[in-house]
Structure formats: structure tokens, C-alpha cells
Amino acid sequence: EALEETVVAAAAEGVEVMAQKRVDVATGEDRSLASYVPPSGVDDALAVVGNAVVRHPLQFGTSCLVETVVDPEIEARALGVLDDAGYYGISEAEFVYDREREEYLLLDVNTRPWKWISLPVAAGANLPMAAYAAVTDVEYESPGIDPTRWVYLRDYLAGLSGGKVGDALGADDWRALVSGEFEANGSLTTGVYRPSDPAPATKLFETEFDDREYYCAC
């Protein structure tokens, strides 16, 4: 009834409406293909699949803990979409798991760098460098993909404080983060926070505690 009321009101004003069924998303099961497709096509793509283990807010929020996973089906489906669209460049193809249909559904494709693009870089797929090398004399070849996790501490800590999710990081992870040792260990990386490059974190603090606009990790 609410949908019909909206459609009728929109039609009376000559406005087109696009409606989408709300999906019963399985929390913590999201998959995204992070990739760089060169002009030669998807057969030469450099790609990594990431799983957004924790979001904040939990159900429909932004990614704050992502880890690499092996998922050939998601990779093939995402590259198929990019191939069909004739797109080349950096992108993130996002999928959510529908409990009712028991399958992954394509949510969207971000044709730009996104919040956790440093995850594939740390894992061994430096997508920005691959894109740069494609249009310059620089040579780049991925050394291979290693299991890696990415965390955005601002949102991750906010999620933990709400009591709805448990801590997915261990004591060694926290020591590495606080000490800065994670920068020398490619298995864990971060968004914004990096002791060797304090400017982004400083910018975040400046916008967090005054009336300036929110600073997005993208």
C-alpha cells in the first residue's frame, strides 16, 4: 500500500520512481572484487576479493574491517559485468548475500578508488600502480596475493563500543597497531591511521572534535 501510494503520487507529478526490494542481507558475508582492468580487457585484470567482516553501523554501514578471501565465483561474475560494460580501470564490485535466495547479489560497482583500496595494495595487488604503469613507461607486476586484513579504526572502535559486534582482532594485532609495527608486516593494514604518515589521521582528529565537516576515509 505504501508503494502504491508513492507511485501514484509520483505519477501525478510526472516523476519516475525506481523501487528495489529490501534484501535480507547476511551480516559479515559481503564480497567485493577489487580490480584493475587494463584496456586489453578482463583477461589481463589484476584482482582481489575482499570480505567486509564488520561494518558500522552493522547492517548497512561502511566497511571497517575487511579481509582477503578466495572466491573464484565472485571474481568471475564481477569481471563479467565489467567486460559486458566495456569498462577498464580501477573498480570495486560489491555483492551482498541474500539469505532468502541463498545467493550473492550484485549491489553496485564503484568505478573509482574506495575506502579500503589499501587492502589489495598491501596484499600484493597494487591497483593504482598497475593503472599508472599502463599509461607510462613504468613496469609493474604483482608478486602474488597474500592473506591480508584492513581496518579503519575510527568506525571499528565505534562498532565495538556499541556492543553489537565482538573484537575480531587479537592481542598481537592491537600491539602491532599501537606500536606501528603493522607497517612492516603486510598482513595487516589500515585506513587513515599510519604513524609514518600522520597527516591523514591529524585531519581526521581536526574534523572529529569541532564543527568542521565529516572527514571520509575515501
Side-chain angles (χ1 to χ4, degrees):
E1 291 177 355
L3 174 61
E4 182 179 3
E5 180 180 339
T6 300
V7 171
V8 170
E13 298 296 328
V15 175
E16 294 183 352
V17 175
M18 181 177 71
Q20 178 180 338
K21 179 181 178 181
R22 181 168 176 170
V23 177
D24 181 18
V25 175
T27 303
E29 296 297 326
D30 302 356
R31 296 282 192 273
S32 291
L33 184 75
S35 70
Y36 169 68
V37 177
S40 57
V42 297
D43 290 341
D44 299 318
L46 179 61
V48 176
V49 178
N51 168 215
V53 180
V54 180
R55 290 182 177 273
H56 179 71
L58 191 58
Q59 190 73 15
F60 298 105
T62 182
S63 303
C64 53
L65 180 63
V66 184
E67 61 184 17
T68 56
V69 294
V70 177
D71 196 324
E73 180 183 351
I74 290 296
E75 181 172 349
R77 288 180 61 186
L79 291 177
V81 171
L82 297 174
D83 185 44
D84 184 66
Y87 175 78
Y88 64 89
I90 290 175
S91 70
E92 176 205 15
E94 294 187 85
F95 293 79
V96 294
Y97 189 77
D98 185 342
R99 295 180 186 274
E100 183 179 345
R101 302 187 215 181
E102 297 184 340
E103 66 175 333
Y104 279 97
L105 305 178
L106 177 65
L107 180 64
D108 62 13
V109 179
N110 295 314
T111 53
R112 53 164 174 75
W114 58 97
K115 188 176 179 183
W116 50 270
I117 193 170
S118 57
L119 173 67
V121 174
N126 193 328
L127 306 182
M129 181 58 74
Y132 181 73
V135 294
T136 66
D137 294 331
V138 173
E139 293 185 3
Y140 173 74
E141 182 176 349
S142 170
I145 309 302
D146 294 321
T148 308
R149 290 174 299 164
W150 172 94
V151 62
Y152 179 44
L153 290 170
R154 178 197 180 277
D155 289 344
Y156 185 67
L157 291 172
L160 291 181
S161 66
K164 293 184 178 181
V165 296
D167 187 5
L169 298 176
D172 289 342
D173 297 323
W174 285 111
R175 277 191 288 269
L177 288 167
V178 174
S179 67
E181 291 178 0
F182 73 92
E183 292 195 71
N185 181 359
S187 64
L188 179 64
T189 189
T190 64
V192 177
Y193 168 67
R194 194 172 296 273
S196 65
D197 181 18
T202 301
K203 180 73 171 179
L204 176 60
F205 281 120
E206 290 174 350
T207 57
E208 188 73 10
F209 301 114
D210 62 21
D211 59 358
R212 299 181 66 178
E213 294 182 359
Y214 169 69
Y215 177 64
C216 178
C218 295

